[in-house]
Amino acid sequence: MALENDRNLRDLIRKAALLNAVSHDGKAQAGAMVGKILGEKAELRSRVKELSVAINAVVNEVNSLSLAEQKAIVEANWPETQKKEKAEEKKLHPLPNADKYSTIVTRFSPNPDCVLHLGSARAILLSHEYARIYNGKFILRFEDTDPKIKRPSLKFYDNIRQDLKWLGCKVDEEYIQSDRLPIYYEYTEKLIEGGNAYVCECPPEEFRKKTIAKQPCPCRVLSAAENLERWHRMLTGDYTEGQAVVRVRTDLENPNPAVRDWPALRIIDTKKYPHPRVGSKYIVWPLYNLAAGLDDHLMGMTHIIRGKEHYTNMVRQKYMYDYLGWTYPEAIHYGRLKITGAFLSKSKIIQGVKEGLYTGYDDPRLGTFAALRKRGITPEAIKKMIIDVGIKSNDVTLSWENLFAYNRKILDTTSDRYFFVPQPVELKVLQVPKSFKAKLPLHPEEPQRGFREYTVNPEGEDKAVSFWISKKDTEALEPEKMVRLMELFNVKVEKKLDNSVTAKFASESYEDVRKIKVQLIQWIPKGTEFQSQIVMPDASVTQGFAEADCKKLKPDVIIQFERFGFVRIDEVSEKIIAYYAHK
Ligand SMILES: [Zn+2]
């Protein structure tokens, strides 16, 4: 018997192809199946060529179905194969020395000079997650002590709070460094009194030459009393910008010149560069290591989780901790997480928004959380990805596609399905014998979620019904070719013009055309369409029609436009505005 007529074999191949397809994003791989079938039907070893032909035919047919349709068939026929494997939840490694502390305290400490972007996700989510795992405390600390170069802006404090909330990170305590200058001054004075810090008046270039040569500058050898006097003159405004800087003493022999006698506080002309929160109240401002170093101890930090580029900062700060008799927190330095294709340069984002190059901080081209949120990337997907990567000291490179895969997995089960026809072209179907009612499930695997229902009624002598279909779908059409309007009926093309296609009703059942692997396309009855604009990831806009039921959608909901992609609804008025997430 010719293999193509062997019903049993056909069924076997079909099952294998469907199972293969649902585990390969809707595309069965013919090559992988030959071995599988031969494993079960050893007698076909002498007919491999014939078998391949039979497999290819079935694979083509299966691959013409949408993933949702494939899943529905598999679920209906072989539900036992789809037992959801218990998702292996990836667990974070335990924190070092966690049992030494009664309460684990972690922090995220951004500079509010920009909105947050994907580059911060690791620091935020890991710090927060560990605080939760150990029933500890997660602190948000705004590090806003540079009113001149990395100037904070009031709106960003709130944006950052919102971003954390969106990411699902509950903040137990919040601090703002610009509120804490008296505290930094108090400890600076202690350090100077103890001879562990000094006020350096040397021009930076001269100081640099000295440190490279491992030699003290003239200020280093002054008495504590003389330095205290200089310190008070700093505070009262005797120095202008650049004339004096407080340095914390270190070992001049330290192998890293950048560690030697690091700068701790400097003068900023706040008449010229007022701080957005405290204006011109202070002119002496702490630098990163002094403020962050003191705060980590004063706020009871037990574990600092941050990128390995901070390793040298730990070395610097440990000198200060020794002088103050403190113990440095447990520091965990993870490797860089690179996301290829993500645009994450803070300064370029700020500049681009200012110049109108981007529509705002949520422009879909940016990697900001605001943009991801707008596009329908879920915080759960970001969290899952970050936790899967965990804390590794080696660098990790991920791509947008990795993030989309996490997101797709979530949205696939949560999103309702609708039809959207980009660049609509009219399809006129003639000789439709009766009224048809299409019952389209909101979700192919969960009929209990409900249906969208559309009735089409033939009109006129030629019993015509007009639809909108996408221009792209018409490209594959030609006279005599069959095509199936999803969940409705099959039509045969008669005539194709630039902006319209005429076809004739063929039959209703999908079974009739399954064998000839017709394309299944989405459609919208003409006259029921709802104008829609989809903002794409490159900020271009795709115009088209959504089905009438989309009028009921609420902003913020994420849906799947079948055969188009997942989108987040942004606005529903006389038209829909949505943002494209991914396929
Ligand atoms: Zn000096």
Side-chain angles (χ1 to χ4, degrees), residues 38-247:
L38 286 177
E40 291 181 43
K41 298 240 170 207
E43 69 272 20
L44 296 180
R45 281 185 193 282
S46 56
R47 301 168 74 180
V48 172
K49 212 166 175 184
E50 224 183 315
L51 176 64
S52 292
V53 173
I55 288 177
N56 277 327
V58 177
V59 162
N60 283 336
E61 177 198 312
V62 164
N63 287 353
S64 72
L65 302 176
S66 72
L67 179 58
E69 288 168 311
Q70 293 164 349
K71 280 183 178 167
I73 296 170
V74 168
E75 187 65 37
N77 293 288
W78 312 286
E80 72 286 352
T81 61
Q82 294 303 293
K83 286 262 158 32
K84 300 233 156 56
E85 302 143 42
K86 218 165 177 204
E88 213 178 291
E89 276 295 312
K90 200 133 180 191
K91 290 267 159 50
L92 290 171
H93 286 291
L95 282 176
N97 299 318
D99 46 6
K100 261 174 60 185
Y101 307 91
S102 58
T103 308
I104 298 295
V105 184
T106 64
R107 46 90 162 164
F108 172 59
S109 43
N111 179 357
D113 63 339
C114 187
V115 296
L116 298 178
H117 58 55
L118 209 45
S120 306
R122 212 172 181 192
I124 299 169
L125 290 163
L126 291 178
S127 300
H128 177 264
E129 191 64 13
Y130 275 117
R132 296 285 92 91
I133 289 173
Y134 287 98
N135 204 9
K137 210 159 68 172
F138 174 65
I139 290 177
L140 169 62
R141 182 173 74 212
F142 288 109
E143 300 192 336
D144 59 344
T145 62
D146 182 357
K148 188 174 171 183
I149 311 283
K150 292 180 174 176
R151 221 182 125 64
S153 179
L154 284 180
K155 58 178 182 275
F156 296 134
Y157 295 79
D158 261 341
N159 286 339
I160 289 173
R161 289 182 189 112
Q162 271 171 31
D163 283 343
L164 290 186
K165 202 171 158 200
W166 176 72
L167 283 168
C169 299
K170 187 179 156 286
V171 173
D172 298 302
E173 278 172 27
E174 183 191 292
Y175 297 92
I176 304 181
Q177 288 189 328
S178 55
D179 283 340
R180 298 168 59 80
L181 266 67
I183 299 173
Y184 307 134
Y185 292 172
E186 181 194 330
Y187 283 93
T188 302
E189 195 145 324
K190 258 186 213 167
L191 290 166
I192 296 174
E193 275 168 358
N196 298 314
Y198 59 94
V199 177
C200 176
E201 294 178 356
C202 303
E205 195 40 41
E206 269 169 49
F207 179 84
R208 211 182 63 86
K209 275 187 212 150
K210 290 271 187 201
T211 30
I212 299 274
K214 301 181 180 176
Q215 284 166 2
C217 80
C219 325
R220 196 182 205 260
V221 295
L222 295 177
S223 70
E226 282 167 295
N227 272 307
L228 266 182
E229 195 246 29
R230 281 186 177 187
W231 165 242
H232 290 134
R233 279 172 44 213
M234 263 180 97
L235 291 176
T236 49
D238 275 8
Y239 294 100
T240 56
E241 258 187 46
Q243 284 187 329
V245 47
V246 177
R247 296 186 176 280

Side-chain angles (χ1 to χ4, degrees), residues 191 196 248-251 318-326:
L191 290 166
N196 298 314
V248 169
R249 244 173 217 274
T250 64
D251 187 350
K318 275 186 169 173
Y319 284 97
M320 180 169 76
Y321 271 67
D322 282 347
Y323 301 142
L324 295 168
W326 297 346

